[in-house]
Amino acid sequence: MPEEQMSSANRPTSLDGRTYHVETKRGEVSNRIITVGDPQRAHAISQHLDMILMTKQSHRGFLTITGMYKHLPVSIVAIGMGSPMMDFFVRETRMVVDGPLAIIRFGSCGSIINGAQTGDIIIGDGAFGITRNYAYFGDASEKDAYVLWPNVDADAVLTEGVVSEMVKGVGAQRVFRGLIGNADSFYGSQGRPGADFYDANEGLLDRVHKEFPQAAALEMESHMLFHLARVSTGRTGDEPQSVRAACALMVFADREGNSFISPETSRQMTKVASLALLDALVKDMPTQAGLHPVEGSVWQNNL
């Protein structure tokens, strides 16, 4: 339950400016952000920071950690799972940070490309949507049980930076590229077979590969992230894009080989990949020029 009175129904913030879901305010979140789903992964990444300046756990499950890395402020935000959580995070972070945002999603995925095994890293050049067509399950005239939404490109410059650092960190043989399928569920919309529910998803992965030959992985957040970055152009759509985004996904589920990652491999690869993403962020934004004001921020005494 909320602990403070919110000021608006459309843009709810507390009296001191905290957003309703993420519960951060101005000066607590950096322009450089790594977002993850798992809060344990956020804490693991934070171990590589030179210092931690702020940790905030919201009542809606968001965890924000802001600290310094190579003398620059960086934030790590754990959001949970799914497109709605990504929407909350991106919009409410945009509310409290001045200047451009560079956001890298570091998540897990199921690989649907030959050669990518558990622990490997798949970097998205773009993401497309996969949503359940609810009308299909009650209307015989509906043709498809799932809707595939067009690809949205990742930011090319930020993505190339992620690729470069990741190759240096984990080795070229463990880095793959392609398009990411962003499903609205873990089971039905990702083509996982099951006996308890009628999902009508036989052949879904074949259809995905047919319509998106570069499809490499399935997960639940990147399409929303890339879409919001694309439309971060102000209310009338005529302002410069203010959010740039990229994603790097660790293969947890090898859908081709039907295997799942071991805890030890996950820990080892998280450590190496995290450093690569932190380096990519600070190289992408090497100074504070044009970013959120230093005065009043949690990093004001560390620059």
Side-chain angles (χ1 to χ4, degrees):
M1 296 178 63
E3 297 180 355
E4 300 179 73
Q5 179 63 49
M6 296 292 118
S7 61
S8 167
N10 294 323
R11 192 182 173 96
T13 54
S14 66
L15 294 178
D16 64 347
R18 291 195 182 279
T19 59
Y20 177 56
H21 302 93
V22 184
E23 288 189 17
T24 51
K25 64 181 182 179
R26 289 177 56 79
E28 292 185 340
V29 186
S30 168
N31 301 78
R32 307 171 189 84
I33 304 171
I34 295 176
T35 182
V36 300
D38 187 347
Q40 292 185 349
R41 187 178 301 135
H43 284 297
I45 299 171
S46 74
Q47 299 304 306
H48 301 299
L49 299 178
D50 302 327
M51 66 176 70
I52 294 175
L53 302 172
M54 185 213 75
T55 299
K56 176 66 177 178
Q57 178 73 59
S58 85
H59 76 288
R60 289 291 187 176
F62 293 88
L63 171 67
T64 302
I65 303 170
T66 295
M68 302 297 292
Y69 182 74
K70 295 188 175 179
H71 310 293
L72 292 169
V74 173
S75 292
I76 305 158
V77 185
I79 68 170
M81 297 177 67
S83 291
M85 299 297 275
M86 181 62 76
D87 187 73
F88 286 136
F89 153 66
V90 176
R91 290 179 186 271
E92 293 192 0
T93 298
R94 179 69 287 173
M95 290 180 193
V96 298
V97 181
D98 293 347
L101 293 173
I103 303 174
I104 301 175
R105 165 165 156 71
F106 181 31
S108 59
C109 71
S111 64
I112 56 172
I113 184 175
N114 288 329
Q117 301 177 349
T118 56
D120 289 344
I121 304 295
I122 298 178
I123 296 172
D125 290 307
F128 58 93
I130 310 170
T131 59
R132 192 177 185 94
N133 178 9
Y134 297 97
Y136 174 89
F137 297 89
D139 185 346
S141 67
E142 290 287 330
K143 177 184 176 182
D144 295 313
Y146 296 88
V147 178
L148 303 186
W149 298 93
N151 174 68
V152 180
D153 288 337
D155 181 79
V157 174
L158 187 57
T159 297
E160 291 302 328
V162 169
V163 170
S164 177
E165 295 302 318
M166 196 65 70
V167 166
K168 284 190 277 185
V170 307
Q173 76 280 3
R174 304 214 69 171
V175 178
F176 295 78
R177 298 180 70 165
L179 300 183
I180 310 302
N182 182 174
D184 63 352
S185 72
F186 181 82
Y187 291 101
S189 297
Q190 293 190 36
R192 286 183 165 90
D196 299 314
F197 300 92
Y198 173 51
D199 289 315
N201 61 4
E202 300 85 356
L204 177 58
L205 293 188
D206 290 336
R207 182 182 166 205
V208 164
H209 281 300
K210 182 179 179 180
E211 295 195 28
F212 298 97
Q214 293 177 289
L218 300 177
E219 48 88 90
M220 299 173 64
E221 294 83 18
S222 295
H223 187 251
M224 177 61 79
L225 173 60
F226 294 166
H227 167 73
L228 290 175
R230 172 188 277 181
V231 300
S232 62
T233 52
R235 187 170 184 175
T236 57
D238 56 1
E239 298 177 14
Q241 186 174 318
S242 68
V243 179
R244 296 182 300 120
C247 78
L249 307 174
M250 189 187 304
V251 176
F252 271 34
D254 176 0
R255 298 291 299 276
E256 298 287 327
N258 194 27
S259 62
F260 206 83
I261 196 169
S262 70
E264 182 58 27
T265 297
S266 175
R267 285 190 291 268
Q268 290 175 351
M269 291 300 291
T270 293
K271 181 177 181 179
V272 180
S274 298
L275 285 168
L277 297 180
L278 287 166
D279 284 336
L281 269 182
V282 297
K283 288 182 179 180
D284 182 77
M285 287 182 168
T287 74
Q288 284 299 105
L291 304 186
H292 193 88
V294 173
E295 185 177 356
S297 70
V298 296
W299 55 85
Q300 68 175 348
N301 296 322
N302 296 281
L303 285 176

